[in-house]
Amino acid sequence: MTDSKPVIVWFRQDLRLADNPALIAAAKSDNGILPLYILDDINAGEWAGGAASRWWLHHSLLRLQESLDGRLVIRRGDASKVLADVVAESAATAVHWNRCYEPWRIKRDSKIRSALQDAGTSVKSFNGAQLFEPTAVLKGDGSPYKVFTPYYKNGCLQSGLQPRKPAAKPRGLKLLEHDNSLTVEQLELLPMNEWYRGIEVEWTPGELGARQRLTEFINKGLANYQSGRDRPDQRYVSRLSPHLHFGEISPHEVWHAVGAVKGNEEFAANRDSFLSELGWREFSTYSLYHWPELPEQNLQRKFNRFPWRDDAQGLHCWQQGRTGFPIVDAGMRELWQTGFMHNRVRMIVASFLVKNLLLHWRHGAEWFWDTLVDADLANNSASWQWVAGSGRDAAPYFRIFNPVTQGKRFDPNGDYVRHYVPEIADLPNKYLQSPWTAPEDVLSAADIELGRDYPQPLVELKASRERALAAFKSLTPED
Ligand code: FAD
């Protein structure tokens, strides 16, 4: 260690050098910088990253390590203890980090802040992850918004709060050497089996990969985003979600890069539609911050009495993409094979689980947590509660997606289903989304025997819909 008073920059969900406020502030001081990453599964408890997230983290840390010239200090364990150790080992006088909003992190970070300050170490935290800080957007009476549209329009867009302009990567970082570090491999983030091989070909984790993804989206997806965003068979969405989750790119950079693209009125509608999805990301984090029970409890308490079913076999079929409903199965297989699922299909498979199968949304959220590369406590919990109808600003429970009509509408040529459910690819479009309606000769011509080559439908759509509506009606109004 060469510097007597280093600043520790504690990287967490901000695995980038550009537009990283904690790093930029440290770079402004004359002191050397000790970049640190801690894998803290202890405080995370049940919210430790799932398998797909860990795959991503492994690669993202490798990229960060490269861009920090191998100086990233990597440790694992209880972050409060590890930080105290690294401060002592390095004689650091300051610790910087960008704020995170999961309840367990807030709790942990506030304890760490107090302990470090009590020991005489300066602590500075910054906003690196949100366009609008959750504490800055409140209604006139000081309470948080419960509904997205007024939150986004009045609370954010018309409030005078402006997402800050992104800053470039600081030049000439004085990165210090520290010999007590693990390697990324020693964190053992990769699963033992080779399931992630499919994921590997789809994604390029890291800051550079994030920026390339943004450029590709601006060039190829943005102009058709508004209508194209509902088509899982096409590539009009940005697929930036895992990059945003791990902070490989800041939402500010995305917001301003997209906002700067000029075009006619039609183009502006596409642009605004995309920006409002970033707004949904803000709103999810905002909701998690103000209602930390979001991942565990129904925000509408009346759902606590909902008569959820217990059906391990049904859950297993859903997870494996073997429900007999092609669009549902395609989505679940896309998830397993690539670590991602298109948003429209996420809504369809989620509705199928909580409404047609009548299984608790938490089962779905848990599976997504383990298998999504973009698994995000705020977005995942808020979205599941949205679909289930139990969230604050949720889709009404009685709006039940019909997977057959959804499939026909949003995968009109069947390309998405044929790609992920190849065993029924030879069915004509007319029957592709509902193979059980195909006459015997059509099935034989496609060489399909239902129940052998592809499952019979797990439920009868009309009956399961009525069962869901009856369950919903049995709830009494809000407590
Ligand atoms: P784009 O359409 O290109 O949107 C740009 C960005 O806006 C996304 O990267 C994302 O950060 C944000 N965004 C878009 N849609 C939403 C939304 N509905 N809610 C919040 N933010 C949004 N998103 C996650 O990031 N992590 C999750 O764990 C997650 N779980 C979900 C579970 C369910 C049941 C559902 C219905 C949705 C979930 N989403 C989740 C939201 C959404 O599906 C993804 O953010 C989106 O599909 C990511 O693809 P994209 O980057 O191409 O999105």
Side-chain angles (χ1 to χ4, degrees):
M1 183 63 57
T2 51
D3 197 287
S4 55
K5 290 178 181 172
V7 179
I8 293 174
V9 175
W10 180 19
F11 285 87
R12 297 114 62 86
Q13 285 172 312
D14 51 351
L15 306 180
R16 64 175 186 272
L17 303 194
D19 197 35
N20 184 325
L23 180 67
I24 290 165
K28 281 185 187 145
S29 77
D30 289 336
N31 302 347
I33 295 172
L34 191 81
L36 172 69
Y37 181 84
I38 306 168
L39 180 70
D40 182 358
D41 288 339
I42 294 173
N43 285 291
E46 66 173 313
W47 300 121
S53 287
R54 289 168 103 77
W55 173 84
W56 191 286
L57 179 61
H58 173 91
H59 291 283
S60 196
L61 286 174
L62 286 176
R63 299 291 84 78
L64 184 68
Q65 183 62 290
E66 277 164 19
S67 49
L68 289 167
D69 300 329
R71 301 279 166 92
L72 180 66
V73 175
I74 297 173
R75 304 281 271 265
R76 78 185 308 161
D78 178 348
S80 44
K81 174 152 186 344
V82 174
L83 260 174
D85 290 349
V86 178
V87 167
E89 289 162 21
S90 63
T93 51
V95 180
H96 287 189
W97 66 68
N98 292 311
R99 289 186 279 281
C100 299
Y101 301 91
E102 288 99 325
W104 70 267
R105 291 192 200 256
I106 292 178
K107 199 167 141 204
R108 177 197 68 178
D109 293 352
S110 68
K111 273 195 200 150
I112 292 179
R113 177 189 286 274
S114 308
L116 287 173
Q117 286 174 337
D118 289 350
T121 311
S122 145
V123 175
K124 287 190 184 152
S125 73
F126 302 83
N127 171 18
Q130 296 304 124
L131 298 168
F132 305 96
E133 279 252 54
T135 46
V137 184
L138 295 170
K139 291 196 283 187
D141 64 3
S143 66
Y145 287 92
K146 292 179 178 167
V147 178
F148 173 72
T149 304
Y151 159 80
Y152 184 58
K153 295 222 159 122
N154 308 339
C156 300
L157 297 184
Q158 288 158 19
S159 65
L161 297 168
Q162 292 284 342
R164 63 150 201 279
K165 286 267 165 64
K169 168 188 161 183
R171 285 162 181 257
L173 288 173
K174 268 173 61 185
L175 300 170
L176 301 176
E177 268 183 68
H178 188 81
D179 48 18
N180 189 356
S181 171
L182 299 172
T183 62
V184 174
E185 287 74 13
Q186 283 172 319
L187 293 178
E188 297 175 327
L189 292 163
L190 295 180
M192 299 299 279
N193 61 29
E194 302 258 307
W195 140 85
Y196 58 82
R197 293 289 175 213
I199 298 187
E200 223 159 38
V201 293
E202 286 285 328
W203 301 98
T204 311
E207 192 168 0
L208 189 61
R211 199 153 297 122
Q212 283 165 347
R213 183 69 82 178
L214 174 61
T215 307
E216 193 184 320
F217 169 65
I218 289 175
N219 293 336
K220 295 189 184 156
L222 183 57
N224 288 307
Y225 181 78
Q226 197 171 24
S227 55
R229 68 179 292 267
D230 272 323
R231 295 284 299 268
D233 56 333
Q234 296 176 0
R235 281 271 177 126
Y236 290 125
V237 292
S238 72
R239 294 165 74 95
L240 277 167
S241 48
H243 299 287
L244 282 164
H245 170 76
F246 285 96
E248 297 169 350
I249 192 162
S250 73
H252 307 79
E253 182 168 343
V254 178
W255 177 273
H256 285 287
V258 169
V261 188
K262 300 286 171 246
N264 59 18
E265 215 172 290
E266 191 189 330
F267 181 81
N270 283 294
R271 194 180 52 209
D272 290 348
S273 166
F274 176 78
L275 294 178
S276 80
E277 293 308 322
L278 291 181
W280 273 102
R281 174 182 177 274
E282 296 290 311
F283 188 56
S284 298
T285 306
Y286 179 86
S287 302
L288 181 61
Y289 179 83
H290 289 289
W291 294 283
E293 69 274 25
L294 179 73
E296 329 250 357
Q297 289 172 33
N298 301 303
L299 291 189
Q300 288 185 46
R301 300 281 179 253
K302 70 179 177 200
F303 274 83
N304 292 349
R305 289 189 300 279
F306 195 85
W308 300 111
R309 287 172 64 243
D310 201 6
D311 176 6
Q313 181 58 24
L315 179 62
H316 185 69
C317 291
W318 178 81
Q319 290 169 338
Q320 303 302 309
R322 298 198 54 77
T323 65
F325 292 92
I327 192 79
V328 174
D329 294 342
M332 298 309 293
R333 294 183 197 187
E334 180 188 19
L335 176 60
W336 184 252
Q337 288 169 32
T338 70
F340 185 82
M341 194 194 303
H342 188 279
N343 180 63
R344 168 59 50 180
V345 194
R346 291 188 204 202
M347 292 196 290
I348 298 170
V349 304
S351 169
F352 186 80
L353 185 82
V354 296
K355 297 178 182 177
N356 298 97
L357 296 186
L358 223 59
L359 294 177
H360 200 296
W361 58 265
R362 281 205 64 183
H363 292 301
E366 275 165 26
W367 183 252
F368 273 28
W369 183 256
D370 203 30
T371 51
L372 275 173
V373 285
D374 66 19
D376 180 274
L377 196 59
N379 285 351
N380 198 37
S381 314
S383 300
W384 274 97
Q385 292 229 35
W386 186 88
V387 177
S390 58
R392 288 236 190 273
D393 179 13
Y397 185 86
F398 54 79
R399 213 177 277 161
I400 299 176
F401 281 127
N402 179 320
V404 177
T405 44
Q406 289 282 315
K408 286 185 176 160
R409 190 163 161 210
F410 297 112
D411 182 26
N413 308 317
D415 294 343
Y416 178 74
V417 160
R418 286 196 173 88
H419 182 76
Y420 287 107
V421 193
E423 65 268 35
I424 57 168
D426 289 339
L427 276 179
N429 279 351
K430 187 171 175 201
Y431 302 111
L432 186 70
Q433 303 289 348
S434 54
W436 65 93
T437 61
E440 258 325 305
D441 58 327
V442 174
L443 287 170
S444 326
D447 201 16
I448 298 167
E449 188 186 319
L450 287 182
R452 183 195 67 187
D453 304 307
Y454 184 67
Q456 295 279 2
L458 193 56
V459 285
E460 206 276 305
L461 278 183
K462 190 159 177 281
S464 62
R465 179 187 151 81
E466 278 163 12
R467 179 176 65 180
L469 290 175
F472 179 63
K473 274 203 192 113
S474 73
L475 299 181
T476 50
E478 192 65 60
D479 294 345

